Structure formats: C-alpha cells, structure tokens
Amino acid sequence: MIMFLIRALIFLASAAVGLIVADWILPGFRIDWSDAWGFLLAIVIFAVLQSVLTPWIASVARRNAPALLGGIGIFSTLIALVIVVLIPGAGLTIGEPYLLTWILAPVIVWLVTALATLLLPMIFIKKKVDERRSGA
C-alpha cells in the first residue's frame, strides 16, 4: 500500500513538472497560477487520465494498429490535455499559436513526465539509502 502511494505521488509530481515545463517553454500553453486549486485539479485529472488512457489506447492499438504502439504515450498525453483544457476551472488553457502549441505540448509534457517518472524515484531512493547508511 505504501509503495502504491509513493508511486502515485511520484506520478502526480511528474505530471506537475511536465505541465510546468510546458508552461515555461510554450507561449500558448498557460497555467492559471492565480488559482492553485485549479492547477491542482489539472494535475490530478491529467495524471488519472494518463494512467487510464495509456493502457487502454495501447490495447486498442495492439489489436487494430500495432504500428502505432510507439506513439501511445504522446497520443494519450494529447487526449489527456484536450480533456483537461475542456474542463472549466482546471487552470489550464491552450491559446495562440494553436497548431504549434497543440503539436508541441503533448511531446514536451510526455517527455518531461517520462523523465521525471524515471528520475524522481532515483532521488527518493538515494535519499532513503543515505539516511539508512548514516543511521546504521
């Protein structure tokens, strides 16, 4: 149970990092920083959608279009972003330049989220190992 919670927190943190980096890099990608609850809502909805959509899209692609399996992560990120942007009060908008932002946002968010999901556990594990070594 504790490992599940740790993994969930890491996934939420990685989703937050991905959305924040997209906000920094892309001119049309906007996080409403004045509404902290809205951004928190966007992170939770995005992370839940990602965790549900990725395996579902992968199974559909495996059955119908196996050649598309490599792009499942980016595609599920795009769908999750579309849904989060459509939810009022979620604290996330995508504006001008529309086409460029909609093409680059899923790639950036997916890449940063994947890297953060890989690196964050290493940081926490290293910290725990160091704590146990110093306490022993």
Side-chain angles (χ1 to χ4, degrees), residues 69-116:
L69 281 173
I72 295 302
I74 295 172
F75 187 65
S76 64
T77 302
L78 171 65
I79 293 172
L81 284 174
V82 168
I83 293 170
V84 170
V85 166
L86 291 175
I87 294 174
L92 189 67
T93 57
I94 294 184
E96 295 282 338
Y98 291 110
L99 184 60
L100 181 66
T101 305
W102 277 111
I103 291 170
L104 292 178
V107 175
I108 291 169
V109 173
W110 171 79
L111 181 62
V112 172
T113 302
L115 288 173

Side-chain angles (χ1 to χ4, degrees), residues 31-135:
I31 294 171
D32 182 8
W33 292 105
S34 65
D35 183 14
W37 288 112
F39 181 55
L40 212 58
L41 179 67
I43 293 168
V44 170
I45 291 171
F46 177 78
V48 168
L49 285 171
Q50 273 290 92
S51 64
V52 170
L53 287 171
T54 301
W56 180 73
I57 292 172
S59 69
V60 170
R62 197 173 295 113
R63 274 193 318 262
N64 301 316
L68 298 177
L69 281 173
I72 295 302
I74 295 172
F75 187 65
S76 64
T77 302
L78 171 65
I79 293 172
L81 284 174
V82 168
I83 293 170
V84 170
V85 166
L86 291 175
I87 294 174
L92 189 67
T93 57
I94 294 184
E96 295 282 338
Y98 291 110
L99 184 60
L100 181 66
T101 305
W102 277 111
I103 291 170
L104 292 178
V107 175
I108 291 169
V109 173
W110 171 79
L111 181 62
V112 172
T113 302
L115 288 173
T117 303
L118 178 70
L119 297 175
L120 285 174
M122 289 181 196
I123 293 168
F124 290 119
I125 290 170
K126 183 179 181 333
K127 189 184 245 186
K128 273 290 193 203
V129 168
D130 290 343
E131 286 175 6
R132 287 196 178 173
R133 282 186 184 161
S134 65

